[in-house]
Amino acid sequence: MNHIGKSAKRTLNALNQSLPVVVGVIMAISLLKTAVPESFYSTIFTGNILIDPFIGNLIGSIAAGNPITSYIIGGELIKQGVSLFAVTAFLLSWVTVGIISLPAEMDILGKKFALTRNIICFIVSFLVAILTVITLGIVGEL
């Protein structure tokens, strides 16, 4: 019982310290989503197989969000003629990389872990996006 009480107290202290950072991140993400119109995304993708996934990765990393939102945005980007390479990279990095949420992640999980995780996820998102679209082309789904 004593251990549970100490653990609960430590958990509350950790939550109390992290709460201001988490609230700040949520506010920054909301501001970015409001400041960048959806039509902006369709103007910067050129159709290049290497540049589009890279740009999609960058935007998805900055404008992080939940998967449900990314599917809706991805569908709209495809409707506007954005390449599947870019949309796939955008979706993957949207969910796995979080530049805006990086300060909170570093505060909670540690700087080295957070930076390493985000860099690896950025690289893997780029590669998986290209390989996914190539695979879909090979199996005839495109």
Side-chain angles (χ1 to χ4, degrees):
M1 187 70 172
N2 194 13
H3 294 293
I4 293 173
K6 286 181 180 178
S7 297
K9 187 176 179 179
R10 286 183 183 167
T11 302
L12 285 175
N13 284 338
L15 183 63
N16 216 11
Q17 290 175 348
S18 301
L19 194 58
V21 175
V22 172
V23 170
V25 168
I26 291 171
M27 292 172 69
I29 290 172
S30 299
L31 182 64
L32 184 65
K33 285 182 178 178
T34 303
V36 178
E38 290 181 28
S39 62
F40 169 76
Y41 298 116
S42 66
T43 60
I44 59 170
F45 295 108
T46 62
N48 186 302
I49 291 175
L50 294 176
I51 295 173
D52 273 6
F54 185 75
I55 294 172
N57 244 359
L58 282 176
I59 294 172
S61 299
I62 294 169
N66 60 43
I68 294 172
T69 308
S70 71
Y71 299 142
I72 295 168
I73 294 173
E76 292 301 317
L77 289 173
I78 288 176
K79 285 179 186 174
Q80 295 177 12
V82 176
S83 74
L84 192 55
F85 289 104
V87 173
T88 306
F90 175 80
L91 294 177
L92 289 169
S93 62
W94 173 277
V95 176
T96 60
V97 183
I99 292 175
I100 288 181
S101 62
L102 191 59
E105 188 174 343
M106 287 191 306
D107 187 49
I108 295 169
L109 301 174
K111 183 178 181 180
K112 183 178 179 183
F113 175 82
L115 288 173
T116 303
R117 189 197 71 75
N118 278 281
I119 290 169
I120 289 172
C121 286
F122 185 86
I123 294 168
V124 170
S125 295
F126 179 80
L127 296 174
V128 168
I130 292 172
L131 293 173
T132 299
V133 176
I134 289 173
T135 302
L136 288 173
I138 291 172
V139 298
E141 292 295 322
L142 291 178

